[in-house]
Amino acid sequence: MRTWGGRFSDNTDALTLQYTAGADRSLYAFDIAGSMAHARMLGHAGIISVEDSEKILTGLNSVTERIQKGDVEWRPEYEDIHTHIEVLLREEIGEVAGRLHTGRSRNDQVALLNRLLVRHLCDEVIVDLEELIGVFCSLASEHVNTVMPGYTHLQHAQPITLGHHLLAYGEMFLRDRDRFLDCRVRVNVLPLGSGALAGSPYPLNRQMVAEELGFEALSRNSLDATSDRDYAVEFVSAAALTQMHISRLAEEIILWSSTEFSFVRLPDSFATGSSMMPQKKNADVAELARGRAGRIYGELMALLTTLKGLPLAYNRDLQEDKPSILATGEVLIPTLRIFREMLKQLEFDNERMRDSAALGFTLATDVADYLVKKGVPFREAHQVVGGLVLLAEQKNCDLNELPFNTYQQAHVLFEEDVLEISIESALAERDLLGGTAPSQVREAVELLRNQLT
Ligand code: ARG
């Protein structure tokens, strides 16, 4: 069946059928939900009879059952899911099926389907992100006192707590959650009633359809509503950012599980081996998540490029949005879920991280701050401690292993208690909002938890 055959005298070329068919079969439930709301409203508004409306609704239920049973032959000549469902509906209820499309075009129908799809994906991602953030909160509260080296330029910088490091990801994923919530607001607008492009001559009750489908607003311009795919760009863009965050985390897991770091042991169930080297245990889950960031970036570019040259209103190019939206969900959602499970099972080597935190003169800044607290300008203190680091390096010892008289020679304001500067004191001192002190991390876990719904 073609929904538009009247003015054509020749049949469509088989290649054209293949070429133009949409990859939207999996989206039947969204299309049917939209059609049911439309049919109910048509009956209610007296645009079709209540009897026909009810027949259509019953028919659509049977169509759903048939599709779920796999009792449907999908054929390219039906072009897309919208036509397919109309064909199936006709098989169920006969010619009455033809009344469903009153006051509707596939252009506003597909805009509706898309918005239902993206809204559904946003909701899934929001839940998955919240669960992931919850895992970071639990891990962070377990590791409030666990010491590790903090890095800049991947060089030892200052000691931090593992809890603090983990909460950095909690914050990233919270921003991601907020982006999806925000995207959802603009997704949640009903386009139905826009017709093909110009609006509808029927007294459609758009508000009723919106309420049934859970839309918060009605589109205000039919040209925009049928050609807008901004919400899809926003969704894929938020997903690209999220997958980028996951990729940075993946990179750290890969580094931390390497022999050089050995900060963490990967659970066997989330690692793979080598077909040749018997000793290998590879962080493939993390590597694939890092690698798949590229796929979502690609979808974002694809969508933006598809949209950039389109005149108003609907153009068939827009059909290309669905593979990008679907592929994005197919990468992001399983990634969030597997990371949640993998993170729970990471075994941190607290002792190894603590030993490592002491290496590389990570307390040098604290020694400089010691002098600053006694009134020395920071620049001068920095210079003095730089000299001490040089001496310690030459003697191959730690800063607090230098004899006290070396300190005295370096600056008169040093007293014996300078040798008491320790990792614990350095951590405890960073006790202001956003700092790594255990008390702050404990507080930060609560602040983050309070943001979850
Ligand atoms: N399959 C199309 C899409 O996904 C539906 C709308 C088709 N409209 C049209 N006039 N050809 O975008």
Side-chain angles (χ1 to χ4, degrees), residues 79-80 82 106-107 110 314 316 319 322:
E79 210 178 321
D80 55 29
H82 319 299
R106 277 187 300 160
N107 297 349
V110 74
Y314 181 84
R316 193 62 181 272
Q319 180 168 288
K322 277 174 288 300

Side-chain angles (χ1 to χ4, degrees), residues 31 122 158 169 172 177 180 201 231 248 266 327 329 333 423 434:
D31 196 61
C122 281
Q158 292 180 334
Y169 286 100
M172 289 179 229
R177 193 272 321 248
F180 285 101
Y231 56 88
R248 294 182 75 170
L266 289 175
I333 291 172
I423 287 179

Side-chain angles (χ1 to χ4, degrees), residues 126 130 133 137 170-171 173-175 177-178 181 444-453:
I126 288 164
E130 294 216 339
I133 295 165
C137 287
E171 293 290 335
F173 292 122
L174 184 70
R175 289 196 296 275
R177 193 272 321 248
D178 289 346
L181 279 175
V445 169
E446 287 322 306
L447 290 175
L448 188 53
R449 275 209 180 109
N450 289 340
Q451 299 287 316
L452 303 180
T453 50

